[in-house]
Amino acid sequence: MAGPGNVGGQQAQGKPRRSAWQRLFYWSAVLAVWGLIFLVVFFAVFARGLPDTSSLYQVDRQPSITYLDRNGALIATRGTQMAPPADLDSLPDYVPAAFIAIEDRRFYNHPGFDPIGMARAMVTNMRAGRVVQGGSTLTQQLAKNLFLTPDQNMRRKVQELMLAVWLEMKFSKKEILALYLNRVYFGAGAYGIEAASQRYFDKSAKNLTVGEAALLAGLLKAPSRYSPVSESERAAARATVVLNEMEEAGVITAAQREQAVTQPVIVSRTLATQHAQYFIDWLDKSIRSLVGEPTEDMVVETTLDLTLQTSAERSVRRILDRDEGKGVQQAALVALDGDGRVRAMIGGASYADSQFNRAVDAKRQAGSAFKPFVYLAAVEAGYTPQTPVVDQPITIGNWSPRNYSGTFSGNMTLAQAVAQSTNTVAAYVADQVGRDSVARAARRLGIESRIGLEPAMALGAVEVSPLEMATAYDAFANGGRRVDAYGISRIRTPQGRVIYQRQSGQSGQAINNPSLYYMNQMLRGVVSSGSGRSAAISGRDLAGKTGTTSDYKDAWFVGYTGGFVTAVWVGKDDNTAMRGVTGGSSPAAIWKGFMEAALPRLNAPRIPDGPAMPEGWVAPDPVGDLMSGLDQNGLPVEPVDPLLGEPYVEDPEAQVQQPSPKQPMMRPNAPQPAPRDTPNQQPEGRQPPERRGDALFF
């Protein structure tokens, strides 16, 4: 009788053994089942949170803002720019082919993802030790752009693959390509090839050349890095790579490639006018305060004149190139008409290199360009252009100013002191009329920055912006009216509905006569025979003031004619010294170059006289006689202190070359007023003056 072991052994011996192929099939089936289960679970997990594909035709974008100049010419478009979708059949064959050649050579042969391309990219990246090549297909890029965020993680990549396959199942290759070209971002706020073509080349996409198509295709890798506006050389190199790929793929011939390489691509003048972007940045900050957060596309009608803007750009560029050897690195320019409308604005040497707007946001010491506020306070206190003054050593508190020449000229008229930018006279006059009066005069005209009351403020130790200076000087140019600089006239929708309209209103009178008349006469003298004579233009009624600060760190020229003023500043961002650059050199040259181009277009009148003169007032001698230092009989004027009403006593040390703290600029025998702003006697709330030694302002 057989035992159990024998029975089991007989059964085992009776069961046929599986062959190697049977075992392979069995385990393959097991792995397939588990693989299928894994894939179902895997895709079920990653499919959670997939975006709603019904949003395929919806565009979520920020409203666009289109800026027009005063004549309706396009300056810039900010925000998202969309255009009607381009019809693929209307485009030249080489346009879509350029994108396929550089982005996805196997586009027509894969199901939405390209295993060969992914493997090739993986090997290339491993060899390089970093990511140098991507394996995404054009369809994957479309899926990412339409539905996903740019986050780089496994979940997003799997979802991208899933959506790419879905797109391939739902649409034809032609429809996918059309969707891609009409939705991809090209930089500069342009979405879609039609918007990009209009933004970069001012033309429809159906008129693109081979070179332009290659440039746009090259942008997609990194729109800001390969921008033809700010990175022209890099963009050109990238476009050449695209052309090489197009030739290799047989899209274009070698002759077409050679022609595209040698034929320059002209970028839109609107985008190329980069300096106007400083102006747009300035307006951008104020739009929300005027109309709130934009919820629809808007058109902003501005005060800028693109023709004048171009003239300003050329003048600035020419002088910056000319005076680079003197350390002139940056410049700012603001031009206003008599009502405060900004006609031109330059915020720096290159917007592409630096978007910091030096015309609005930079605060630099004004130097002697601040002195007109000193002399305005003086003429309002009783001085006239003929008032005799003395250029001699002066000490105020513990501060002794010196002149640019290092010498003292003795007796002169106030008009001569203005024209020659005499520091000692300005410091003395400010001390006599009161630096608080000077500050009030500057405030009244439009200076909003802090104005310290230390003695050196009379010589321009006040930090201001070019926009402030242009605004303040505008009162001299327009008949004495205070203005507020502005750049927006109207905001409307593209359909014409007005959202904001600037109200026209009469600004207040800031300077009355005869003070305005006196100031214009003296500032004319600066241009006709003084420190600003290099800015003179034959046959034009011009006035203005130069300004240069200690060690040549800042140089200014602010000048005007009837109803038009331009302020120019040059210097360095790091506030280091230039080499001998004064307000009468580089800034005056920029100002003159701009005004020579602008004046014929402006048809500007003479500087207006302003309000009526007081009854019985008699006009003084012309400005030429004011500058001579002689009276109406041809004899030297006798210096009289206008506040004391007595002649100055001749000072035997008036020609001493170095300031003496014992010789104030006044009659030694006259009752001396208490020193202003000394540490021992401070008006309530006023800080002691900062010691500045021999600070030089001219």
Side-chain angles (χ1 to χ4, degrees), residues 259-533:
Q259 182 182 9
V261 169
T262 57
Q263 181 179 357
V265 174
I266 307 301
V267 178
S268 166
R269 186 174 71 89
T270 299
L271 283 179
T273 308
Q274 282 297 289
H275 294 300
Q277 304 305 315
Y278 289 115
F279 174 73
I280 300 303
D281 284 350
W282 176 55
L283 298 189
D284 237 11
K285 298 176 182 178
S286 60
I287 285 178
R288 285 162 181 79
S289 66
L290 295 176
V291 300
E293 191 67 29
T295 58
E296 57 185 328
D297 291 348
M298 297 188 302
V299 177
V300 179
E301 298 174 2
T302 77
T303 62
L304 195 80
D305 187 318
L306 271 180
T307 301
L308 297 184
Q309 178 71 20
T310 302
S311 298
E313 292 169 14
R314 290 173 179 168
S315 184
V316 167
R317 186 73 266 158
R318 180 174 63 85
I319 300 304
L320 287 181
D321 291 342
R322 187 195 75 178
D323 294 346
E324 182 179 6
K326 298 179 181 179
V328 180
Q329 296 179 353
Q330 289 291 348
L333 179 151
V334 178
L336 307 179
D337 68 12
D339 292 320
R341 291 181 282 252
V342 176
R343 297 301 195 203
M345 177 182 285
I346 307 290
S350 170
Y351 184 82
D353 293 340
S354 170
Q355 288 78 55
F356 178 65
N357 192 342
R358 296 155 189 84
V360 176
D361 299 322
K363 299 296 180 75
R364 304 296 291 251
Q365 286 195 348
S368 290
F370 192 81
K371 288 178 182 175
F373 311 127
V374 173
Y375 293 116
L376 174 59
V379 295
E380 290 177 340
Y383 284 73
T384 72
Q386 301 102 319
T387 298
V389 291
V390 182
D391 175 20
Q392 65 177 8
I394 176 176
T395 296
I396 303 173
N398 57 1
W399 177 68
S400 298
R402 61 188 177 94
N403 294 321
Y404 174 51
S405 64
T407 63
F408 301 94
S409 301
N411 297 341
M412 60 174 58
T413 64
L414 192 70
Q416 286 177 305
V418 173
Q420 297 172 15
S421 203
T422 306
N423 285 338
T424 57
V425 173
Y428 170 74
V429 169
D431 190 60
Q432 293 302 296
V433 302
R435 288 182 290 279
D436 51 350
S437 297
V438 175
R440 284 195 296 271
R443 285 266 183 265
R444 194 169 73 240
L445 268 58
I447 298 297
E448 297 179 347
S449 297
R450 177 189 176 275
I451 303 175
L453 298 181
E454 62 272 14
M457 68 89 83
L459 309 187
V462 178
E463 294 182 345
V464 293
S465 71
L467 181 63
E468 285 179 282
M469 293 297 281
T471 300
Y473 272 66
D474 211 348
F476 298 129
N478 66 17
R481 292 180 291 109
R482 159 70 187 261
V483 302
D484 292 313
Y486 69 97
I488 298 175
S489 299
R490 186 169 70 156
I491 301 175
R492 58 177 173 83
T493 65
Q495 294 74 34
R497 180 172 60 84
V498 176
I499 304 174
Y500 164 81
Q501 177 78 53
R502 183 176 177 85
Q503 299 300 317
S504 59
Q506 291 295 323
S507 49
Q509 194 69 27
I511 313 175
N512 290 306
N513 271 319
S515 299
L516 177 63
Y517 178 88
Y518 290 150
M519 289 303 303
N520 283 333
Q521 288 291 79
M522 291 191 291
L523 293 176
R524 282 184 176 109
V526 173
V527 177
S528 64
S529 57
S531 60
R533 56 188 177 276

Side-chain angles (χ1 to χ4, degrees), residues 78 90 106 187 191 234 258 297 334 379 397 404 413 517 558 571 634 693:
R78 294 283 178 90
S90 69
R106 291 170 46 80
Y191 284 83
R234 189 176 289 162
E258 185 64 26
D297 291 348
V334 178
V379 295
Y404 174 51
T413 64
Y517 178 88
V558 189

Side-chain angles (χ1 to χ4, degrees), residues 401-688:
R402 61 188 177 94
N403 294 321
Y404 174 51
S405 64
T407 63
F408 301 94
S409 301
N411 297 341
M412 60 174 58
T413 64
L414 192 70
Q416 286 177 305
V418 173
Q420 297 172 15
S421 203
T422 306
N423 285 338
T424 57
V425 173
Y428 170 74
V429 169
D431 190 60
Q432 293 302 296
V433 302
R435 288 182 290 279
D436 51 350
S437 297
V438 175
R440 284 195 296 271
R443 285 266 183 265
R444 194 169 73 240
L445 268 58
I447 298 297
E448 297 179 347
S449 297
R450 177 189 176 275
I451 303 175
L453 298 181
E454 62 272 14
M457 68 89 83
L459 309 187
V462 178
E463 294 182 345
V464 293
S465 71
L467 181 63
E468 285 179 282
M469 293 297 281
T471 300
Y473 272 66
D474 211 348
F476 298 129
N478 66 17
R481 292 180 291 109
R482 159 70 187 261
V483 302
D484 292 313
Y486 69 97
I488 298 175
S489 299
R490 186 169 70 156
I491 301 175
R492 58 177 173 83
T493 65
Q495 294 74 34
R497 180 172 60 84
V498 176
I499 304 174
Y500 164 81
Q501 177 78 53
R502 183 176 177 85
Q503 299 300 317
S504 59
Q506 291 295 323
S507 49
Q509 194 69 27
I511 313 175
N512 290 306
N513 271 319
S515 299
L516 177 63
Y517 178 88
Y518 290 150
M519 289 303 303
N520 283 333
Q521 288 291 79
M522 291 191 291
L523 293 176
R524 282 184 176 109
V526 173
V527 177
S528 64
S529 57
S531 60
R533 56 188 177 276
S534 61
I537 300 173
S538 178
R540 297 291 183 176
D541 184 22
L542 306 174
K545 189 69 186 73
T546 57
T548 313
T549 60
S550 297
D551 300 324
Y552 304 101
K553 293 178 181 178
D554 301 277
W556 297 76
F557 186 80
V558 189
Y560 58 94
T561 187
F564 195 79
V565 59
T566 301
V568 178
W569 165 87
V570 303
K572 296 181 180 180
D573 285 340
D574 61 5
N575 203 31
T576 56
M578 298 175 287
R579 288 184 282 281
V581 177
T582 67
S585 58
S586 301
I590 291 174
W591 188 91
K592 182 176 182 179
F594 169 61
M595 292 295 282
E596 282 181 330
L599 286 172
R601 179 177 178 84
L602 294 170
N603 194 26
R606 291 180 56 82
I607 299 170
D609 292 332
M613 295 293 179
E615 186 177 353
W617 180 84
V618 178
D621 294 332
V623 67
D625 293 336
L626 296 177
M627 303 307 301
S628 68
L630 304 177
D631 63 17
Q632 60 184 357
N633 298 317
L635 300 175
V637 292
E638 181 181 14
V640 176
D641 188 319
L643 297 183
L644 298 177
E646 301 178 13
Y648 288 102
V649 174
E650 184 69 24
D651 187 343
E653 296 185 30
Q655 300 302 319
V656 174
Q657 300 302 303
Q658 295 298 325
S660 169
K662 297 181 180 180
Q663 286 296 331
M665 184 178 147
M666 61 181 65
R667 278 194 328 118
N669 296 331
Q672 297 189 12
R676 296 177 182 267
D677 299 334
T678 61
N680 297 326
Q681 184 175 356
Q682 291 292 328
E684 184 177 354
R686 185 179 298 179
Q687 297 298 317

Side-chain angles (χ1 to χ4, degrees), residues 18-309:
R18 294 190 181 95
S19 67
W21 286 107
Q22 288 176 323
R23 288 196 302 272
L24 177 63
F25 177 79
Y26 173 78
W27 287 112
S28 296
V30 170
L31 290 174
V33 170
W34 281 107
L36 181 61
I37 294 173
F38 173 79
L39 287 176
V40 170
V41 173
F42 180 85
F43 282 104
V45 170
F46 281 95
R48 294 180 61 188
L50 272 176
D52 181 7
T53 55
S54 64
S55 63
L56 175 66
Y57 298 103
Q58 298 176 4
V59 180
D60 182 16
R61 66 182 183 91
Q62 294 295 317
S64 69
I65 305 177
T66 300
Y67 296 88
L68 307 179
D69 88 334
R70 64 189 303 262
N71 299 307
L74 177 66
I75 302 174
T77 301
R78 294 283 178 90
T80 303
Q81 180 175 351
M82 301 292 290
D87 181 5
L88 206 62
D89 292 330
S90 69
L91 300 177
D93 291 341
Y94 52 75
V95 173
F99 292 85
I100 293 175
I102 194 65
E103 293 293 327
D104 187 2
R105 186 80 67 86
R106 291 170 46 80
F107 172 68
Y108 289 106
N109 300 312
H110 61 65
F113 61 94
D114 184 4
I116 297 175
M118 294 171 69
R120 182 177 61 248
M122 185 180 299
V123 172
T124 302
N125 294 336
M126 289 177 63
R127 287 176 178 174
R130 57 190 178 89
V131 178
V132 295
Q133 188 177 106
S136 295
T137 64
L138 189 148
T139 312
Q140 287 176 264
Q141 294 178 43
L142 177 62
K144 179 180 66 176
N145 290 335
L146 289 178
F147 305 118
L148 300 173
T149 67
D151 297 338
Q152 296 291 337
N153 54 56
M154 178 62 72
R155 183 184 186 86
R156 192 203 62 80
K157 196 66 179 177
V158 172
Q159 290 181 339
E160 179 185 294
L161 286 168
M162 295 170 65
L163 289 168
V165 173
W166 176 81
L167 286 170
E168 291 279 350
M169 294 173 62
K170 184 174 180 62
F171 300 100
S172 68
K173 289 288 186 180
K174 182 178 179 180
E175 290 172 328
I176 290 173
L177 184 58
L179 272 171
Y180 179 81
L181 291 179
N182 285 312
R183 298 294 293 273
V184 72
Y185 181 59
F186 286 88
Y191 284 83
I193 192 167
E194 182 65 28
S197 182
Q198 293 177 8
R199 177 67 67 91
Y200 286 105
F201 308 120
D202 285 333
K203 62 169 66 174
S204 172
K206 65 183 179 182
N207 298 321
L208 287 170
T209 66
V210 172
E212 292 166 346
L215 189 148
L216 291 180
L219 273 175
L220 298 186
K221 185 176 182 180
S224 60
R225 179 176 173 81
Y226 295 105
S227 169
V229 177
S230 59
E231 302 291 345
S232 57
E233 293 184 5
R234 189 176 289 162
R238 176 68 176 166
T240 302
V241 172
V242 177
L243 290 170
N244 293 340
E245 294 290 330
M246 292 173 71
E247 182 187 0
E248 184 179 331
V251 175
I252 57 175
T253 65
Q256 286 178 301
R257 178 201 173 280
E258 185 64 26
Q259 182 182 9
V261 169
T262 57
Q263 181 179 357
V265 174
I266 307 301
V267 178
S268 166
R269 186 174 71 89
T270 299
L271 283 179
T273 308
Q274 282 297 289
H275 294 300
Q277 304 305 315
Y278 289 115
F279 174 73
I280 300 303
D281 284 350
W282 176 55
L283 298 189
D284 237 11
K285 298 176 182 178
S286 60
I287 285 178
R288 285 162 181 79
S289 66
L290 295 176
V291 300
E293 191 67 29
T295 58
E296 57 185 328
D297 291 348
M298 297 188 302
V299 177
V300 179
E301 298 174 2
T302 77
T303 62
L304 195 80
D305 187 318
L306 271 180
T307 301
L308 297 184
Q309 178 71 20

